[in-house]
Amino acid sequence: FALDTLLAGPLAPRIDATRIVAAGHSYGANTTLLAAGAKLERQGLSVDFRDPRIKAAIVLSAPPFYGESDPAGILAHVTVPTLHVTATEDVIRIPGYYSDAQDRVNVFEATGSRAKALAVFEGGSHSIFTDRAGTGGALLNPQVKAATQALSTAFLASVFQGDSSALRQMGQRFAALLARFSPP
């Protein structure tokens, strides 16, 4: 609905409908994965929200799908290029639910795309990618946000221009901030 509305609205002439990228943080990342092809089963029916206009996905701090025990069964259907970004202290603690940073890595590993990249920043928190200025620390927070912006730009150049050289160099460029980097 949102994409239909946007492509039919006053901004439509400024949008290249052949280069649509979905992005989201936390449960927004789960929504992004659903739009990119993840499939769930509910009450014996397949739930499929894939939008074929989505050509790539940027997934920030994606938790596993709540109540699901087979991430590969859900995420194998995501075949568009994906960039997954998280941090070593990306922990979700809410009453009745706990999810650690390894869960974000498991989501990356379960995703079916052959063109997927993972960046795991050292430190940080689940909220480091939000507009909160101090999550992860006053020094680390802006560095991680700038690095995530650079990673995203390099990822998009890789997807839409076929030039993955900048993306492959991100591990070296941000080595001081990264605990792990897996380029496509």
Side-chain angles (χ1 to χ4, degrees), residues 100-181:
D100 65 12
Q102 183 59 45
D103 285 341
R104 295 339 132 241
V105 174
N106 295 345
V107 167
F108 162 75
E109 290 171 350
T111 302
S113 176
R114 289 190 341 234
K116 60 184 177 181
L118 171 69
V120 180
F121 291 101
E122 186 66 50
S125 71
H126 186 69
S127 297
I128 198 166
F129 304 104
T130 68
D131 61 357
R132 297 176 189 152
T135 56
L139 179 62
L140 182 62
N141 185 290
Q143 291 175 338
V144 167
K145 287 179 179 175
T148 300
Q149 182 179 14
L151 280 162
S152 298
T153 301
F155 169 71
L156 295 175
S158 175
V159 170
F160 294 118
Q161 297 166 3
D163 180 6
S164 60
S165 60
L167 183 57
R168 285 192 311 269
Q169 295 171 5
M170 291 292 118
Q172 184 177 8
R173 179 175 170 191
F174 296 108
L177 296 174
L178 288 166
R180 176 178 173 189
F181 181 66

Side-chain angles (χ1 to χ4, degrees), residues 3-180:
L3 190 51
D4 288 343
T5 302
L6 185 63
L7 293 174
L11 295 176
R14 298 172 57 191
I15 299 170
D16 182 347
T18 66
R19 296 168 47 149
I20 302 294
V21 178
H25 173 259
S26 194
Y27 283 125
N30 287 148
T31 302
T32 295
L33 289 165
L34 286 166
K39 292 183 181 179
L40 294 168
E41 186 137 331
R42 292 291 186 261
Q43 299 174 344
L45 299 173
S46 180
V47 178
D48 182 357
F49 295 112
R50 182 180 176 277
D51 188 322
R53 296 171 295 186
I54 306 285
K55 303 303 182 199
I58 299 173
V59 182
L60 307 174
S61 300
F65 284 84
Y66 185 76
E68 297 295 328
S69 59
D70 180 22
I74 297 165
L75 296 165
H77 307 283
V78 177
T79 57
V80 299
T82 57
L83 171 62
H84 300 250
V85 185
T86 187
T88 58
E89 299 303 317
D90 188 347
V91 176
I92 301 170
R93 283 184 189 94
I94 55 177
Y97 184 74
Y98 174 83
S99 175
D100 65 12
Q102 183 59 45
D103 285 341
R104 295 339 132 241
V105 174
N106 295 345
V107 167
F108 162 75
E109 290 171 350
T111 302
S113 176
R114 289 190 341 234
K116 60 184 177 181
L118 171 69
V120 180
F121 291 101
E122 186 66 50
S125 71
H126 186 69
S127 297
I128 198 166
F129 304 104
T130 68
D131 61 357
R132 297 176 189 152
T135 56
L139 179 62
L140 182 62
N141 185 290
Q143 291 175 338
V144 167
K145 287 179 179 175
T148 300
Q149 182 179 14
L151 280 162
S152 298
T153 301
F155 169 71
L156 295 175
S158 175
V159 170
F160 294 118
Q161 297 166 3
D163 180 6
S164 60
S165 60
L167 183 57
R168 285 192 311 269
Q169 295 171 5
M170 291 292 118
Q172 184 177 8
R173 179 175 170 191
F174 296 108
L177 296 174
L178 288 166
R180 176 178 173 189

